[in-house]
Each structure stands twice: as structure tokens, then as C-alpha cells.
Amino acid sequence: MHKEFLMGNAAIARGAVAAGLNLVSGYPGTPSTEVLETTAKVNDGSIYVEWSVNEKAALELGAGAAYSGARSMVTMKQVGLNVASDPLMSLAYIGVKGGMVILVADDPGPISSQTEQDTRHFASFSKLPCFDPSSVQEAYDMIQEAFEYSEKYHTPVLFRPTTRVCHGYASIEVKDKEEYKVNKPEGFVKDSSKWVIFPRLSYNAHIHIEERNVELSQVFSDYKRNIITETGDKGCRRGIATHGISYTYVMEALRGKNAPRVFKVSTPFPFPEQAAVKFLEGLDEVLCIEELDPIIERELTYICGKYHLNTKILGKLTHHVKTAGENTCASVAVNIADFMGWEKPAAAETEAPPALPVRPPVLCAGCPHRASFFAVKEAMKGKKSVFCGDIGCYTLGNAMPLDMVDTCLCMGAGVNITQGIGKIEPDTNCFAFVGDSTFFASAITGAVNAVYNQADMTLVVLDNSTTAMTGHQPHPGTGRTMMGEVVEKVSIQEVLKGVGVKTVETVNPLELNKAIDTVKRVSAEKGVKAIVFKSPCAVLIKGNKPAVIDSAKCTSCKKCIKTLGCPGIVFRDGSVTIENSLCTGCGLCSQVCPFGAIGGGEDAE
């Protein structure tokens, strides 16, 4: 063993590798992304690593490997589990041979997600064991234990860190390579009575799962990470139940105090019932401090009723803890002070930070998506139109002055939403924007639906040849894999033609007039048609020289600022100015200026 300073996601990856990982697949999404990427970095070639087209594909791939005796891991964020839920629910019944860990990172806050969805619900819904680490060290150790439980009980298990565990850093003990487990898969052994999910098999599996989870509840009651801590005052008749990163906050708040009994729940499902009974005995009141939903609070309330325990359970349901958002050291300290009748901790005195400029989320300077949105906006000026957006960089098209995202629900949904609007309002020009990665993830089925059901819409694919918002991961349109192989690209245009879209045109959005003319012409056609705006992500290419403004021609009309909203153009000291540190010389602003006052860019010497 030796010490290393690691990010939580890196610790999870390293723990999985030490556990004998054979295959990892996933779909990028904050806060889970670095788990797969770290595995790829430390891979000695013995592990197959894949960014799949979506979470469902990733989970099914991981299942196939585990059927063959491999140890597999699948990574995603909490909303991604919704996409993977169909195979997940059936896999829970079929089970696995090799160890299989499904890592689903939750995002309290939410900091970068559509919802505050709590994966612990999915554990009880799917009837799968769930592990909930509270620190970077525990994440490293616990994922190795998760593989052991998975393999022992022939079931996939959920591993559910939250943002502050995923992105926290700590100096932790890790294994030397000589200590790693080496797992050699046996290979797939045909047995249709086990691997084919007939109704009779599901009935028997359901019986087995319920029996197994009763057993696991007992086993988890003795699991060393479900901890009951007597922190000082053994006569105290109050207790605190908590989990995950909140456990760290609780112990920080109790440091140095003659404090109550603490119960740390590391396996929210199956709930460690006997450990909970032991914790509750002799207590009058328990405060449950948890993030997202009141899972522990409900379980303890149920157990009190089942065992006739006269303990009052407090938490989110009783509004003693806030019902949404992240916990912090400060918020937990206040919750505990209120519960214990202690004086509330004084707010830490810190020097006031300097006032920051207002910086709303915005597309990068030089981002081709800005040109794409602007081209559609110009083309449809004065026409009744609706613009359905999607999850990714293109969500930022909603910001002013572009204002080009009327709806955004979840990944791929815009393609079908625009069809629904069009069926009700056939006089509306319906547009659906998707990115290239999103197209492969979940928009293809929407395109098929549109063609088959005779929708009248324009599908706009913003193809910047990467998965930009999560860190430039590859996808089938990029021609490279996570294993470093150069492979044949899957053509978005050919896919669209293959599913029946008759008109598919590709244009560089930075050629503005051509792009506007393309939108006018294509959108005027009836039925389903598509425009692929193709231009590389501005972050990944070497830009041209920055644009320059001819002060003799510039009238300070600010049209370039008011219509594009590019952070590379600012109004400073009474004149329009190019921010050279940001400008990529894309040339879009020079095409918008009515006075020809902006030049430079790729034409600059």
C-alpha cells in the first residue's frame, strides 16, 4: 500500500482496477465522467474501455461481459439511469456471473443536471443492492467490496457517490499493483434456462430476489461501513442518522462535543434493519440528515412502527432539514445545533470577496453553434416558428440575444416535442436542435418516428465533431474510440437518409449567407428534412488571428453585440472592442456588421 492524492472519481476508477476490472463502459455526464476517463488513463491494455452511444447501450454491454464472468463497471449520472432503466430492471432478475458495478453519480444542488433525482430510489425499485460512499478513501475501498458482493450474490449492484465525493480530493491509501486482483473471465456458458428471461424464470427470480434481500439486510447490518458511533454522551437519548458526504459534515460538526449517537448508513438498500434497531434502542429522538430524498427517514419511521419503538424520527418530512439542495458543513452544524438545543455556531468570519462581474452561461467565443442559431433566426424572421432544444452546449442557445431555445426537457426529447407541437399547430415552422453526440445517443429514434408518422419539421444537427460540454469525449461520428483506435466514422447524413429523410443538407454555419439560404430553402419543404451545421468545436482547433475593428468605419451601432452575444466583442470606453484573448477569428461578426467595420480573422496577415 502507498499514499496518493486523488480525486474521488479517480479513486473509484483505481479501486475498480485494483478489484480486477475487465471492462468499463459508460456515457459522459457530470459528476461521473472522470471515472471512465481515469480508467482509460491507467489502463495497461488489459481492460476494454468504451464511451457508448448512451447509457442503455453501456449497461447492456457491461451485462454481456458480466454474463461471461468478467468484472464490469458501467458509469453514468443520475438522469442517465432513466435511459438505462429498461435493461436495468430486467437484469436485476437475470443476474450476472462476474461482478458488475453500475456507478450512478447523483448531483445534489443540482449543479449540472435537469433534476435532483435520488438513485437510492432506483435501488429499491430495481431491488438491487446499493453502496453509498462518504469520502474519497471509502469510495476507493467500497467499490472493491461492491464487486465482491456482486459476484457472491450473482447480482449487479449500484454504486452511488454524490458530487462532493466524486470531485473531492484527498490523500488516500491505495494498493500497489502487485496487490491487484487479476480476474480471468471463464467465458459465456450457454444456458437458456438462466440467460433467457421467460415469464417462469422471472417468477422464480422474483422469489429468490426477495429472499436474498432479506438475507442482505442481515448481512449489511454487520457490514463494517454501516457504523454506529457513540461520540461522547452515552446518556444522551438523541441520535443522528446520516449517509454519504453528510456523514463527514456531521462528524465535523460534532468534533470536540459531548455528542449524541450517530448511525452512518452506507447501504441504503437493502436497509440494514437490525443495525438500525440497535441504533434506535434507548433513543427518544433521531434527526436524519441526508441529501436529496428522505430515504433513511422513511426507513427508520417504518422500523419504529414495526418494532414498536417510541422514537420520534425527524428530518426532511418534518421540515427539520431543508427538503432540497446540497448540505454543507455550515447547514449541518445549524441543523444539529437546533436539534440538540445548542447555541448555533457563529458564521465564520471571512474577508468579503471582490464583486464579480455578472457572467450568465454563454456559448464560447467562436462557437459555431452561435452561427447556426443565428442563421435559423435570420431565416425564420417574421415567420411563426418554434425551436426545441436539447441537453448540451446548445442549451445555451436560450441565452439572449439569441433566444433560440423554446423547450428543453431531456436528452433527445426535442425531436419528438417539436412533432407534438406541429401536430397541434400545423401552421408553425417546427425546428428541433440536437448535437452530434446527442443525435447518436437518443435522437435517432425521434427521427424514425417523425418520418414514419409524417411529421412536418426541420431537424437541425449542430455537428462540432465531439461531445463538448462534458469534456470532448469521442462518439461514433468522430472516427476514434476510447481505446485510441481510429475507426470508420458513422455518417449522420447517411443515417438520416437511411431512416427515410429525403432532404439532408450540410453547410458550414460560419458561411452565414449560405447557411441562411439553406435554412430558408430546406425549411420550406414539406415533411421531415434535416440540416447538418458542420464546423469543429472552437475549443479544439487553433483559431485564426483575432478580428480587428476599423474605428473609422465603426458607428458603435452595436449590432454585432446585440445580435450575436459573443463574449469576444465588448463595448468598452465608448467603443466596440475585440477581446483578443477570447476571439478565435471565426469571422461571424464581420458578416453581421452593416458597415464592414470588422475585419481580420482568417484574412488577417
Side-chain angles (χ1 to χ4, degrees):
M1 299 286 280
H2 64 281
K3 278 203 168 186
E4 288 194 40
F5 186 66
L6 293 176
M7 183 196 213
N9 279 345
I12 293 168
R14 295 282 296 277
V17 173
L21 185 69
N22 301 110
L23 177 146
V24 58
S25 54
Y27 191 79
T30 305
S32 69
T33 308
E34 296 87 356
V35 175
L36 190 144
E37 292 186 334
T38 301
T39 309
K41 286 178 185 172
V42 302
N43 186 12
D44 62 2
S46 64
I47 304 169
Y48 177 74
V49 186
E50 174 181 305
W51 281 126
S52 303
V53 293
N54 64 21
E55 295 84 352
K56 178 177 184 292
L59 193 141
E60 290 161 352
L61 179 79
Y67 285 0
S68 305
R71 285 196 165 187
S72 67
M73 179 167 65
V74 185
T75 73
M76 64 194 76
K77 65 185 299 182
Q78 87 282 16
V79 289
L81 189 55
N82 301 334
V83 180
S85 62
D86 190 8
L88 176 80
M89 303 303 284
S90 295
L91 184 63
Y93 275 59
I94 286 287
V96 292
K97 183 165 66 177
M100 180 176 180
V101 175
I102 303 166
L103 181 143
V104 186
D106 280 0
D107 183 20
I111 297 170
S112 61
S113 306
Q114 303 97 303
T115 68
E116 283 201 302
Q117 184 177 313
D118 192 325
T119 295
R120 294 178 297 170
H121 284 300
F122 252 116
S124 60
F125 183 34
S126 63
K127 309 178 190 300
L128 292 178
C130 181
F131 295 81
D132 188 0
S134 64
S135 67
V136 175
Q137 180 72 67
E138 190 168 67
Y140 176 82
D141 295 329
M142 187 183 279
I143 195 157
Q144 297 174 64
E145 294 157 6
F147 274 108
E148 295 294 332
Y149 279 105
S150 171
E151 211 158 77
K152 179 177 180 180
Y153 289 92
H154 304 292
T155 178
V157 302
L158 292 166
F159 192 83
R160 178 257 188 194
T162 55
T163 305
R164 301 301 166 184
V165 172
C166 291
H167 289 170
Y169 278 80
S171 183
I172 66 169
E173 291 278 347
V174 298
K175 289 180 176 175
D176 299 323
K177 196 165 184 180
E178 297 74 36
E179 300 174 271
Y180 288 6
K181 176 183 174 63
V182 177
N183 184 56
K184 294 184 178 178
E186 177 191 11
F188 182 71
V189 178
K190 291 185 179 183
D191 182 355
S192 59
S193 67
K194 177 172 177 56
W195 303 118
V196 181
I197 192 164
F198 284 121
R200 185 66 185 173
L201 179 149
S202 294
Y203 169 74
N204 291 329
H206 191 181
I207 293 171
H208 165 71
I209 289 168
E210 298 297 343
E211 292 172 347
R212 180 202 68 200
N213 285 346
V214 170
E215 179 186 340
L216 272 176
S217 174
Q218 295 276 355
V219 170
F220 285 160
S221 287
D222 295 324
Y223 179 43
K224 61 184 177 183
R225 304 193 188 282
N226 287 322
I227 303 169
I228 299 172
T229 307
E230 299 284 356
T231 55
D233 186 357
K234 294 187 177 179
C236 179
R237 296 179 67 82
R238 290 191 175 98
I240 296 171
T242 186
H243 72 122
I245 193 66
S246 295
Y247 171 73
T248 309
Y249 301 155
V250 167
M251 300 311 285
E252 177 73 18
L254 297 180
R255 182 181 297 176
K257 292 187 172 63
N258 205 17
R261 189 183 301 169
V262 176
F263 183 29
K264 171 173 171 280
V265 180
S266 297
T267 54
F269 188 85
F271 201 78
E273 188 170 304
Q274 292 308 311
V277 171
K278 183 180 175 184
F279 163 71
L280 290 167
E281 285 176 345
L283 297 182
D284 294 331
E285 288 185 317
V286 168
L287 178 67
C288 299
I289 297 179
E290 38 190 335
E291 282 182 323
L292 300 177
D293 292 338
I295 306 291
I296 297 172
E297 187 179 354
R298 285 198 173 99
E299 288 287 350
L300 293 184
T301 302
Y302 160 76
I303 290 169
C304 284
K306 180 177 178 180
Y307 291 87
H308 307 291
L309 299 173
N310 190 26
T311 308
K312 186 181 293 183
I313 307 299
L314 310 175
K316 290 174 180 282
L317 295 173
T318 59
H319 296 279
H320 288 81
V321 176
K322 64 179 181 178
T323 55
E326 273 195 298
N327 290 334
T328 64
C329 283
S331 72
V332 168
V334 169
N335 291 150
I336 293 175
D338 286 341
F339 176 61
M340 296 298 293
W342 294 341
E343 184 178 347
K344 289 186 182 178
E349 291 187 11
T350 55
E351 187 177 342
L356 297 174
V358 177
R359 296 179 60 194
V362 65
L363 293 165
C364 299
C367 175
H369 296 348
R370 176 178 289 102
S372 303
F373 283 124
F374 186 71
V376 177
K377 187 171 187 174
E378 285 294 294
M380 302 314 294
K381 192 176 287 182
K383 297 179 181 177
K384 184 181 179 184
S385 305
V386 64
F387 308 109
C388 296
D390 214 305
I391 304 294
C393 294
Y394 18 90
T395 310
L396 301 176
N398 74 323
M400 299 297 285
L402 291 174
D403 190 23
M404 285 293 287
V405 177
D406 296 321
T407 73
C408 184
L409 180 64
C410 62
M411 194 171 285
V415 185
N416 293 104
I417 288 175
T418 196
Q419 295 168 39
I421 293 173
K423 293 295 183 185
I424 302 302
E425 298 182 64
D427 61 336
T428 300
N429 292 283
C430 295
F431 287 80
F433 294 97
V434 296
D436 42 345
S437 182
T438 310
F439 174 80
F440 290 111
S442 52
I444 293 175
T445 50
V448 173
N449 190 71
V451 171
Y452 184 72
N453 291 296
Q454 305 171 68
D456 187 8
M457 62 168 289
T458 305
L459 174 61
V460 180
V461 183
L462 307 182
D463 183 359
N464 61 3
S465 300
T466 189
T467 313
M469 183 166 269
T470 49
H472 302 107
Q473 290 80 17
H475 62 66
T478 62
R480 57 190 171 88
T481 73
M482 201 56 183
M483 295 293 285
E485 302 160 317
V486 177
V487 296
E488 189 168 345
K489 298 177 182 178
V490 177
S491 166
I492 294 172
Q493 292 85 343
E494 293 303 316
V495 170
L496 287 170
K497 290 176 183 175
V499 302
V501 181
K502 304 296 184 191
T503 298
V504 182
E505 294 213 16
T506 302
V507 62
N508 182 350
L510 295 173
E511 297 175 7
L512 187 57
N513 289 333
K514 188 176 177 182
I516 293 172
D517 289 343
T518 302
V519 175
K520 287 179 178 176
R521 186 179 64 257
V522 172
S523 65
E525 296 181 15
K526 289 295 180 185
V528 181
K529 51 275 181 188
I531 301 169
V532 179
F533 282 124
K534 190 170 182 62
S535 184
C537 175
V539 177
L540 293 182
I541 59 170
K542 183 181 179 181
N544 298 313
K545 291 181 179 178
V548 293
I549 294 180
D550 185 340
S551 57
K553 294 181 180 177
C554 179
T555 65
S556 294
C557 70
K558 304 181 192 173
K559 183 178 180 182
C560 52
I561 296 175
K562 293 178 179 176
T563 57
L564 300 179
C566 176
I569 317 173
V570 296
F571 192 71
R572 181 185 297 148
D573 300 328
S575 60
V576 176
T577 304
I578 299 296
E579 185 62 57
N580 286 350
S581 63
L582 296 176
C583 180
T584 64
C586 73
L588 180 63
C589 55
S590 65
Q591 298 174 71
V592 171
C593 177
F595 302 103
I598 305 178
E602 61 183 345
D603 296 323
E605 295 181 0

